[in-house]
Amino acid sequence: MSDSQTPRVALVTGGSGGIGKATCERLATAGMAVAVHYAGNRSRAEAIVSAIVESGGRAIAVGGDVADEADMVAAFDAVEAEFGGVDVVVNTAGIMLLGPLATFSLDDLDRMHRINIRGTFVVSQQAVRRVRPGGAIINFSTSVSKLQFPGYSAYAGSKGAVNAMTLIMAREMRGRDVTVNAVAPGPTATDLFLDGKNDDEVGALAKVSPLERLGTPEDIAETVAFLAGPGRWVNGQIVYVNGGAI
C-alpha cells in the first residue's frame, strides 16, 4: 500500500461514461491519482479531469481504442510517465446491444465482442504486465447472466467471457500481490442501460431488486473503491452488485 508521498494510481477505461465517471470521482476522493480513459468523448473526459483537479486531486485524460494494443500501450505509457506507475486498473469500457438471439445482427455481435471481450483482454494484458504489487485489476461483468432477461444473450455472452478471464487471471497473478475481481452490476441508471427503454420497462426493472429502485453509478463505484483499496482479501471473485436482485 502506498503512503502519502506515493499515492496509488488508477487507470479507468471508459472513464468518461456513467459508471466510469463515478468510479474516477470516487477513486480520486480516496486519494488516488486517476487516469480518465475515453474512446471518443475527449471533452467529457477532460471535464472530469478538471473537476477532480479543482477539488485538489490529480488526474489526466488518456484516449484510445481499448481493443487496439498500440493504443493501450500508449495509454499505459502516458499514465506511467505522468504518475510513475499503475496500481489499479478498472475496465468499465463496454457497450450493450440487445435483441433476441434468433434475429440478432452478427455485425452487432462482432462489434460488441470486440469491445467487451477483446477490449477487456487487451487492457488486462497490459495490466498484468504493469500493475505494481499491492494493486488491483477490476473487470466489469453483469448480473444479467443470472437474471436471464430475454434479449440479453449476446451481451451476457460477452460478459461470460469476462468472468472466465477474471477468474483465471487471478490465479495467473499468483505471487504478485495483485487482486483480480469482476464487478457485476444489476440494472443501473446509466445512459447505456436506459437507452431504448420506455418508462414502463424502466419501472419494471426498478422492481427487480427488493430495494425497489435502480442502482446508481455511485452505488457501483463504492464497490469498485472497496476492491481497489481496503478489499485486499477479496480475490478471484465475481461480485454481484444489484441490490439483492439475485
Side-chain angles (χ1 to χ4, degrees):
M1 301 291 288
S2 302
D3 59 25
S4 59
Q5 281 69 51
T6 55
R8 287 161 68 79
V9 177
L11 167 61
V12 181
T13 71
S16 62
I19 290 175
K21 175 178 181 290
T23 296
C24 290
E25 292 170 343
R26 180 64 182 84
L27 295 182
T29 299
M32 296 189 193
V34 180
V36 182
H37 164 267
Y38 63 93
N41 201 332
R42 178 175 179 174
S43 61
R44 184 168 179 176
E46 290 179 341
I48 296 166
V49 168
S50 295
I52 291 172
V53 171
E54 288 171 7
S55 297
R58 302 174 68 203
I60 60 170
V62 294
D65 176 359
V66 290
D68 185 285
E69 181 183 18
D71 280 5
M72 290 303 99
V73 167
F76 274 81
D77 285 348
V79 178
E80 290 178 341
E82 181 70 20
F83 297 126
V86 180
D87 302 288
V88 175
V89 174
V90 186
N91 274 311
T92 76
I95 61 173
M96 181 169 62
L97 304 174
L98 305 179
L101 185 148
T103 57
F104 199 83
S105 163
L106 294 182
D107 287 340
D108 284 347
L109 179 72
D110 290 343
R111 178 184 165 212
M112 185 160 54
H113 282 202
R114 183 179 186 277
I115 296 172
N116 294 1
I117 298 176
R118 179 184 167 96
T120 298
F121 193 97
V122 169
V123 173
S124 294
Q125 194 170 64
Q126 291 302 311
V128 299
R129 294 171 180 174
R130 304 195 193 214
V131 168
R132 296 183 288 201
I137 300 169
I138 303 162
N139 292 326
F140 260 71
S141 180
T142 177
S143 289
V144 80
S145 58
K146 291 191 174 184
L147 290 167
Q148 301 167 5
F149 293 148
Y152 284 74
S153 58
Y155 177 70
S158 73
K159 294 302 187 176
V162 171
N163 289 352
M165 279 189 273
T166 299
L167 300 181
I168 293 169
M169 283 167 57
R171 283 140 187 87
E172 291 184 344
M173 294 297 282
R174 177 180 293 274
R176 295 274 303 278
D177 190 27
V178 172
T179 61
V180 186
N181 296 286
V183 172
T188 305
T190 65
D191 291 342
L192 177 72
F193 182 79
L194 296 175
D195 183 43
K197 296 180 175 68
N198 60 42
D199 290 344
D200 289 342
E201 290 171 323
V202 172
L205 289 165
K207 296 290 186 180
V208 171
S209 162
L211 298 179
E212 295 192 341
R213 68 171 177 86
L214 295 177
T216 67
E218 291 73 22
D219 290 327
I220 311 306
E222 284 295 333
T223 300
V224 174
F226 173 73
L227 295 173
R232 297 298 305 159
W233 199 234
V234 182
N235 189 31
Q237 304 297 316
I238 312 300
V239 183
Y240 292 89
V241 187
N242 52 46
I246 52 174

